[in-house]
């Protein structure tokens, strides 16, 4: 895929390179764009932020720039890996993806986090989830989308339930974070349970 850049002048001599994102899935306040390898510095910063990594199980790992680049390249599925971008000012605020796609059983696993703290607890995560659920069920022909969340992550649990996910089980004391063991809660949503309006605004075929 071809990557486009725009050069923004700062004063007269200094400038910074800003990634141009692509409006693949457009919502009300955000859009989802294909994830680029050039986003690695921002992801490395987020992966060294306890507010992000404590809830996705990567705090105990050493996250270097080269290591994160390798991780992004290894875990990038071109059909279902996106960054979340503010529709108003084109700022990347996080990532959402459908992983472990099983075409035989028509299921996948949801992964998401909001990296920019000022965008948390404001509904951006729920909007991103609804966009990718709409895409997964109505374009990728999936029947089930699942996830795992720590029992201590009250914000995420409330968000997932709001989006229609239901608890299917738990691994007792399955995750160790900051000196304590927490239950890992499994949740999922079926295509037939994904109801309501269409979330992708830029659909062509209705």
């Amino acid at each position: 895929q071809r990557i486009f850049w725009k050069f923004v002048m700062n004063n007269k001599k200094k400038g910074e390179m800003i990634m141009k994102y692509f409006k693949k899935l457009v919502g009300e306040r955000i859009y989802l764009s294909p994830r680029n390898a050039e986003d690695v510095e921002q992801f490395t910063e987020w992966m060294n932020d306890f507010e992000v990594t404590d809830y996705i199980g990567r705090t105990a790992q050493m996250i270097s720039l080269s290591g994160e680049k390798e991780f992004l390249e290894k875990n990038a599925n071109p059909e279902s890996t996106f960054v979340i971008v503010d529709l108003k000012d084109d700022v990347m605020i996080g990532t959402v993806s459908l992983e472990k796609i099983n075409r035989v059983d028509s299921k996948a696993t949801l992964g998401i986090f909001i990296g920019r703290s000022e965008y948390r607890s404001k509904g951006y995560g729920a909007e991103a989830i609804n966009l990718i659920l709409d895409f997964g069920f109505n374009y990728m022909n999936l029947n089930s989308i699942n996830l795992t969340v720590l029992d201590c992550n009250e914000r995420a649990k409330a968000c997932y339930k709001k989006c229609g996910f239901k608890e299917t089980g738990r691994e007792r004391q399955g995750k160790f974070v900051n000196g304590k063991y927490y239950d890992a809660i499994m949740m999922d949503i079926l295509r037939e349970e994904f109801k309501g309006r269409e979330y992708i605004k830029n659909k062509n075929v209705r």
Side-chain angles (χ1 to χ4, degrees), residues 98-155:
L98 293 174
E99 306 162 357
K100 301 177 183 177
I101 297 171
N102 183 325
R103 292 297 184 184
V104 175
D105 297 325
S106 299
K107 64 182 181 180
T109 298
L110 174 73
I112 183 174
F113 69 78
I114 301 297
R116 292 186 181 272
S117 59
E118 64 269 29
Y119 285 88
R120 296 176 191 143
S121 300
K122 295 182 179 178
Y124 290 97
E127 185 176 351
I129 291 170
N130 282 320
L131 282 172
I132 206 165
L133 290 180
D134 192 349
F135 184 67
F137 290 133
N138 295 317
Y139 286 90
M140 296 178 65
N141 197 27
L142 296 175
N143 185 58
S144 174
I145 296 174
N146 60 71
L147 61 87
T148 301
V149 60
L150 292 184
D151 192 27
C152 60
N153 195 347
E154 298 295 338
R155 179 174 59 200

Side-chain angles (χ1 to χ4, degrees), residues 22-195:
F22 302 90
K23 296 180 174 66
K24 175 64 177 180
L25 308 177
V26 178
E28 293 182 353
R29 297 183 297 167
I30 60 172
Y31 64 90
L32 305 188
S33 173
R35 190 166 70 188
N36 299 304
E38 287 77 7
D39 292 318
V40 63
E41 289 191 14
Q42 179 62 83
F43 276 99
T44 303
E45 179 181 337
W46 288 340
M47 288 301 100
N48 285 286
D49 180 353
F50 280 85
E51 290 188 27
V52 173
T53 58
D54 273 357
Y55 294 118
I56 63 174
R58 294 186 68 186
T59 300
Q61 301 175 19
M62 292 295 292
I63 310 298
S64 64
L65 190 63
S66 60
E68 184 62 17
K69 185 175 187 296
E70 182 180 355
F71 178 86
L72 292 178
E73 292 173 348
K74 186 177 181 180
N75 292 275
N77 185 323
E79 65 179 336
S80 58
T81 301
F82 302 97
V83 290
I84 307 167
V85 186
D86 188 322
L87 189 58
K88 183 179 180 181
D89 56 17
D90 295 314
V91 172
M92 181 177 68
I93 67 173
T95 183
V96 64
S97 60
L98 293 174
E99 306 162 357
K100 301 177 183 177
I101 297 171
N102 183 325
R103 292 297 184 184
V104 175
D105 297 325
S106 299
K107 64 182 181 180
T109 298
L110 174 73
I112 183 174
F113 69 78
I114 301 297
R116 292 186 181 272
S117 59
E118 64 269 29
Y119 285 88
R120 296 176 191 143
S121 300
K122 295 182 179 178
Y124 290 97
E127 185 176 351
I129 291 170
N130 282 320
L131 282 172
I132 206 165
L133 290 180
D134 192 349
F135 184 67
F137 290 133
N138 295 317
Y139 286 90
M140 296 178 65
N141 197 27
L142 296 175
N143 185 58
S144 174
I145 296 174
N146 60 71
L147 61 87
T148 301
V149 60
L150 292 184
D151 192 27
C152 60
N153 195 347
E154 298 295 338
R155 179 174 59 200
K157 288 192 297 182
C159 177
Y160 297 142
K161 290 178 181 178
K162 179 181 178 181
C163 293
F165 284 85
K166 294 179 173 58
E167 182 175 338
T168 60
R170 64 175 60 208
E171 181 184 5
R172 294 184 301 159
Q173 297 187 12
K175 294 293 182 180
F176 182 74
V177 180
N178 192 27
K180 297 181 181 179
Y181 288 97
Y182 295 94
D183 289 0
I185 300 175
M186 281 71 80
M187 306 179 77
D188 72 9
I189 181 172
L190 302 178
R191 184 208 297 253
E192 63 192 42
E193 296 170 336
F194 183 66
K195 300 177 181 179

